[in-house]
Amino acid sequence: MADLRTWLAEVERIGQLMTVENVNWDLELSTLTEIINEQSKIRPAILFDRVKDYPQGYRVAANLVSSVERLALTLGMKAGLSDMDFIQAWRRQVKKITPMTAETVVSGPLFENVRKGKDIDVLKFPVPRWHELDGGRYIGTDDLVITRDPEEGWVNVGTYRVMVHGADGLALHMSPGKHGRVHKDKYHQQGKPLPIAVCFGHHPINFVVASTDVPNRVNEYDYAGGILGRPLQVVKGPLTGLPIPHDAEIAIEGEVAVDDVMPEGPFGEWTGYYASNQPAVPVIQIKALYFRNDPILCGFPLLKPSSGDNLHFSLMRSALIWNALD
């Protein structure tokens, strides 16, 4: 299974990767992403390096699946598809997906660096402030929030926004009805903290599946394996036992305690408007931080709709709607 770095190398080979250096994590990074999207026909994937206040090699990757070429590459489809070709191909493929159970391996490059206790600091990474009126710096926009149902045992991998609240504290926004929220509520109704793992850098197939529609109670890793025709590889988190991509760039393990809440938001959402200034959302208390050498933080900044950053949603949902109407 290719990792994010292999994927970026392939994107560079097809001429759709742009590297930008010496930018500020505070608004400039996201502003450049929007400008590049508005002015470029291919809306390239962007890799930011030498971010202000951070060493070379601590990078941010944005705009990863905002072209049909890169989306097709991510999903293992043939090259050269037009938007309509992709929709028709996905209409056929989505009907035939058979989930493949993820392969659990012993370890992986994710554990090249391990931090616990007072050594934990998520701001060692160049976490952006994406929008002018955001409530803080959002490390979780292209993320995998991993939880397990305490009664039935099935694992959910969802994309929910995560705001930094300090070196080892994160505010977690999960809308009512989302599976991660359901798991949290079940644990808290039992008076127990929610064990949680969150990944902040990974192959884009993980983000595509975690942020779109997957059949109920089907594990997102397994569904992604079904799309690609080969199983993804995961490692059990040492503290929670939750499955994390073994080749992830950055990940944490921790817990969400009962009644532990903090303010979160607002955040510039996909509609082009600010939303959800919450007085109290769950807090992730980080117990362990893992990251690769020269880590890459993935970001999906949610720009104004005209920028085209939501292209993958549009194409994939168009196929699903067409199938439903057929």
Side-chain angles (χ1 to χ4, degrees):
M1 172 68 189
D3 63 3
L4 173 62
R5 301 180 186 205
T6 305
W7 184 91
L8 287 169
E10 182 62 18
V11 170
E12 184 174 34
R13 187 190 68 79
I14 65 174
Q16 292 208 0
L17 179 65
M18 176 182 291
T19 300
V20 180
E21 297 186 343
N22 301 310
V23 300
N24 196 320
W25 55 265
D26 189 12
L27 298 181
E28 184 180 21
L29 187 152
S30 58
T31 300
L32 285 172
T33 301
E34 186 160 359
I35 291 171
I36 292 167
N37 263 9
E38 293 279 6
Q39 296 184 355
S40 171
K41 291 183 179 179
I42 64 169
R43 292 186 293 271
I46 309 170
L47 190 62
F48 294 95
D49 199 356
R50 300 178 185 267
V51 179
K52 183 182 178 183
D53 302 327
Y54 291 90
Q56 181 180 4
Y58 277 59
R59 294 160 288 173
V60 178
N63 217 41
L64 297 183
V65 287
S66 298
S67 79
V68 67
E69 293 87 357
R70 299 196 302 280
L71 181 58
L73 172 66
T74 299
L75 297 174
M77 300 166 74
K78 68 180 183 180
L81 298 176
S82 67
D83 288 2
M84 184 57 70
D85 289 339
F86 176 89
I87 291 170
Q88 295 297 344
W90 187 244
R91 285 186 64 202
R92 295 188 294 271
Q93 184 171 337
V94 76
K95 295 177 182 178
K96 299 183 291 185
I97 296 172
T98 300
M100 298 185 67
T101 302
E103 177 187 356
T104 301
V105 297
V106 175
S107 189
L110 170 62
F111 299 109
E112 290 174 343
N113 300 276
V114 177
R115 301 288 185 269
K116 295 182 179 180
K118 294 181 179 179
D119 293 329
I120 295 172
D121 184 3
V122 293
L123 288 177
K124 76 182 287 83
F125 311 108
V127 179
R129 184 164 71 105
W130 294 105
H131 316 105
E132 184 179 5
L133 301 182
D134 284 354
R137 298 170 70 174
Y138 276 81
I139 190 171
T141 53
D142 174 341
D143 61 8
L144 311 176
V145 177
I146 307 154
T147 57
R148 188 187 305 274
D149 188 292
E151 299 169 355
E152 302 174 22
W154 59 279
V155 170
N156 183 69
V157 184
T159 295
Y160 313 122
R161 72 188 198 213
V162 176
M163 189 178 89
V164 175
H165 250 300
D168 61 354
L170 303 172
L172 173 62
H173 177 91
M174 297 187 292
S175 301
K178 296 295 185 181
H179 289 151
R181 172 79 169 260
V182 172
H183 292 176
K184 187 268 295 182
D185 290 346
K186 285 185 176 183
Y187 271 97
H188 287 185
Q189 287 164 7
Q190 298 174 13
K192 299 177 181 179
L194 167 74
I196 194 167
V198 189
C199 176
F200 300 112
H202 33 259
H203 189 286
I205 186 66
N206 291 286
F207 169 67
V208 168
V209 172
S211 62
T212 52
D213 300 314
V214 169
N216 193 30
R217 287 175 170 74
V218 172
N219 177 267
E220 283 76 6
Y221 297 137
D222 299 351
Y223 195 75
I227 292 172
L228 297 176
R230 57 186 184 276
L232 272 60
Q233 292 185 321
V234 298
V235 62
K236 288 185 177 180
L239 302 183
T240 64
L242 292 166
I244 307 169
H246 85 294
D247 53 8
E249 296 285 333
I250 305 166
I252 61 98
E253 289 187 284
E255 64 181 24
V256 177
V258 179
D259 297 328
D260 187 6
V261 295
M262 285 184 177
E264 185 270 343
F267 181 70
E269 277 289 359
W270 61 272
T271 56
Y273 295 90
Y274 288 94
S276 306
N277 186 5
Q278 300 287 335
V281 302
V283 175
I284 302 173
Q285 293 295 342
I286 302 172
K287 303 299 182 182
L289 169 65
Y290 315 116
F291 58 98
R292 296 179 65 166
N293 296 331
D294 296 328
I296 304 171
L297 170 66
C298 288
F300 184 63
L302 292 168
L303 309 172
K304 292 181 179 179
S306 60
S307 70
D309 61 315
N310 275 303
L311 179 72
H312 70 289
F313 288 130
S314 301
L315 295 178
M316 297 176 75
R317 287 177 179 170
S318 294
L320 295 178
I321 292 170
W322 199 324
N323 280 351
L325 294 173
D326 222 6

